[in-house]
Amino acid sequence: MGNRTEVTQFVLLGLTSAPGLQVPLFVIFTLIYLITLIGNLGMIMLILLDSRLHTPMYFFLSNLSLVDFGYSTAVTPKVMAGFLIKDKVISYNACAAQMFFFAAFATVESFLLASMAYDRYAAVCKPLHYTTAMTTSVCARLVIGSYVCGFLNASIHTGDTFTLSFCDSNLVRHFFCDFPAVMVLSCSDRHITELVLICVVSFNIFFALLVILISYTFIFITVLKMHSSAGYQKALSTCASHLTAVSIFYGTIIFMYLQPSSSHSMDTDKMASVFYTMIIPMLNPVVYSLRNKEVKRAFMKLFWRQNYL
């Protein structure tokens, strides 16, 4: 354990060291981050200000937007600083904090996606009992449970990772302090730490995916029995957006974490990480909400109200 204090900071090598790409990448990621901030914080404000959006579906969406803002903010500003001012150094404690908040918010998103799938199930399969099934207290418990699981999961993984000794290289071959990228730098036996990571992540992923799979199995059965083409199209449209986001999110998570660190290709991991740290938080407001007629009406109502004040 004495060797652990020898490393007091890490150096994030980033996406690329090519000098000609630093400014273009800074511009690209700045735009992505601005769109993420405007989209997610704007969605939260829109849902808060319009009483017609005070429903379970939009309650989950507002929390999803908050989570997307959270884990994008945990990673992207440091990446931007690396491109602009070549600030690639991150302290030991800051690395642990970045890892903790990223893991916490990413796990919360995983369980929120499962909660949203259950909400869709209740809306499509039990429409007459929807208001009694998805009460305010039920929604609150699902969201609070997601946050508790997320921060508990982050505490386990971050604590487990930073009990390892770091006494050799401090060069993190990634653009943020991700678990596999930091673990490979340890000079102590990391077998148990990797096993804990794989087991806990596997449980979180497969539990959430099981809820999603069961919910959508019942939804598809219900949809196939529908006689109304309008109801059929509406249900399929709603499911398609959610399933697209679920596929991208869980696909990259499974690719990243359900394999030993010895089999990781850091260059491939970086590309996958860009999707779930930056692209998914940017796209979620569009995928889930901006195509929704109720959100469009609420936005136009707020826009015209501001213009006539």
Side-chain angles (χ1 to χ4, degrees):
M1 296 296 292
N3 287 333
R4 188 185 67 162
T5 57
E6 291 184 13
V7 171
T8 59
Q9 61 185 21
F10 295 97
V11 178
L12 301 171
L13 297 184
L15 281 169
T16 178
S17 58
L21 293 177
Q22 301 302 303
V23 173
L25 286 175
F26 170 77
V27 172
I28 290 170
F29 286 117
T30 299
L31 289 174
I32 289 173
Y33 188 57
L34 286 175
I35 294 170
T36 301
L37 292 186
I38 294 169
N40 287 292
L41 295 182
M43 187 58 56
I44 293 170
M45 291 303 299
L46 194 64
I47 292 170
L48 287 175
L49 293 173
D50 196 309
S51 60
R52 291 177 300 180
L53 301 182
H54 294 175
T55 63
M57 174 182 173
Y58 294 106
F59 176 65
F60 289 121
L61 283 174
S62 63
N63 279 277
L64 188 72
S65 293
L66 178 63
V67 167
D68 283 334
F69 165 73
Y71 79 78
S72 178
T73 300
V75 174
T76 312
K78 184 63 180 175
V79 177
M80 292 160 55
F83 288 133
L84 184 64
I85 59 176
K86 307 297 188 293
D87 180 16
K88 297 181 181 294
V89 176
I90 185 168
S91 70
Y92 185 90
N93 290 334
C95 183
Q98 186 185 61
M99 182 181 289
F100 173 82
F101 284 109
F102 169 74
F105 286 122
T107 307
V108 173
E109 174 143 344
S110 175
F111 286 104
L112 280 177
L113 289 172
S115 299
M116 292 171 72
Y118 176 73
D119 174 65
R120 305 293 167 88
Y121 156 77
V124 175
C125 301
K126 306 287 184 182
L128 298 179
H129 303 284
Y130 181 71
T131 54
T132 55
M134 299 302 294
T135 61
T136 302
S137 61
V138 169
C139 295
R141 288 189 192 118
L142 288 171
V143 170
I144 291 171
S146 297
Y147 281 99
V148 169
C149 290
F151 281 87
L152 180 61
N153 175 71
S155 299
I156 293 171
H157 290 325
T158 307
D160 210 25
T161 300
F162 282 89
T163 56
L164 297 172
S165 298
F166 298 96
C167 50
D168 295 324
S169 174
N170 68 340
L171 300 178
V172 179
R173 299 183 182 279
H174 214 314
F175 58 84
F176 75 105
C177 288
D178 201 9
F179 294 104
V182 174
M183 276 187 189
V184 297
L185 302 179
S186 174
C187 54
S188 56
D189 184 8
R190 59 178 184 269
H191 175 72
I192 300 299
T193 303
E194 286 185 351
L195 189 61
V196 170
L197 176 67
I198 291 174
C199 288
V200 175
V201 171
S202 298
F203 173 79
N204 290 338
I205 290 174
F206 289 125
F207 176 78
L209 282 177
L210 182 63
V211 172
I212 293 169
L213 180 63
I214 292 174
S215 297
Y216 274 104
T217 298
F218 283 109
I219 288 172
F220 290 142
I221 292 172
T222 302
V223 167
L224 290 174
K225 294 179 180 178
M226 286 181 176
H227 299 292
S228 167
S229 60
Y232 181 84
Q233 291 296 330
K234 183 179 179 180
L236 285 183
S237 176
T238 303
C239 294
S241 298
H242 186 252
L243 285 175
T244 299
V246 165
S247 300
I248 297 171
F249 181 81
Y250 285 107
T252 52
I253 293 292
I254 291 171
F255 176 79
M256 281 292 299
Y257 298 112
L258 298 189
Q259 56 177 319
S261 61
S262 58
S263 64
H264 276 257
S265 166
M266 285 303 169
D267 288 336
T268 306
D269 287 355
K270 288 176 189 178
M271 295 303 103
S273 298
V274 168
F275 276 97
Y276 70 82
T277 59
M278 301 177 195
I279 304 301
I280 292 176
M282 179 186 69
L283 292 179
N284 272 345
V286 178
V287 172
Y288 283 110
S289 305
L290 297 183
R291 295 173 58 192
N292 187 294
K293 291 181 180 178
E294 291 177 335
V295 173
K296 288 180 179 179
R297 280 197 297 265
F299 176 77
M300 293 306 297
K301 177 184 175 183
L302 183 63
F303 176 78
W304 286 113
R305 182 192 301 169
Q306 293 298 321
N307 281 347
Y308 284 102
L309 285 179

